[in-house]
Amino acid sequence: LVDGKYDPANAPVEAKTGVTVGMSMTEKQGGSDVRTNSTTAVALNPSHREPGDLYALTGHKWFTSAPMSDGFFTLAYTEL
């Protein structure tokens, strides 16, 4: 993530020298007020949680920056 060059290869992130990351935050009903977001993230293995776990996202983002990115930071509520 911190390399100064982008690697355009269609390859897994681990195999690339540099990647781009976009953001998906805004939703139509709230615009820039992210407190009104309704997108949810549900752990796929809720009985055993660790950093890096997989989540299922449900919702609709109105704007996503850099849609050609290798990865995305997506704002969503989780169940606690």
Side-chain angles (χ1 to χ4, degrees):
L1 287 173
V2 295
D3 193 292
K5 297 179 194 170
Y6 173 64
D7 182 348
N10 186 13
V13 171
E14 302 83 23
K16 297 178 76 155
T17 58
V19 299
T20 59
V21 179
M23 291 191 311
S24 296
M25 299 181 99
T26 58
E27 296 181 4
K28 187 175 183 178
Q29 76 279 4
S32 61
D33 184 0
V34 297
R35 296 172 297 170
T36 65
N37 284 1
S38 60
T39 297
T40 59
V42 178
L44 296 181
N45 186 7
S47 63
H48 180 71
R49 289 211 184 149
E50 292 185 11
D53 282 353
L54 299 176
Y55 284 78
L57 295 173
T58 303
H60 177 85
K61 294 300 180 183
W62 186 247
F63 175 78
T64 297
S65 67
M68 71 299 199
S69 295
D70 298 296
F72 297 93
F73 292 115
T74 303
L75 183 64
Y77 288 103
T78 58
E79 74 288 350
L80 293 176

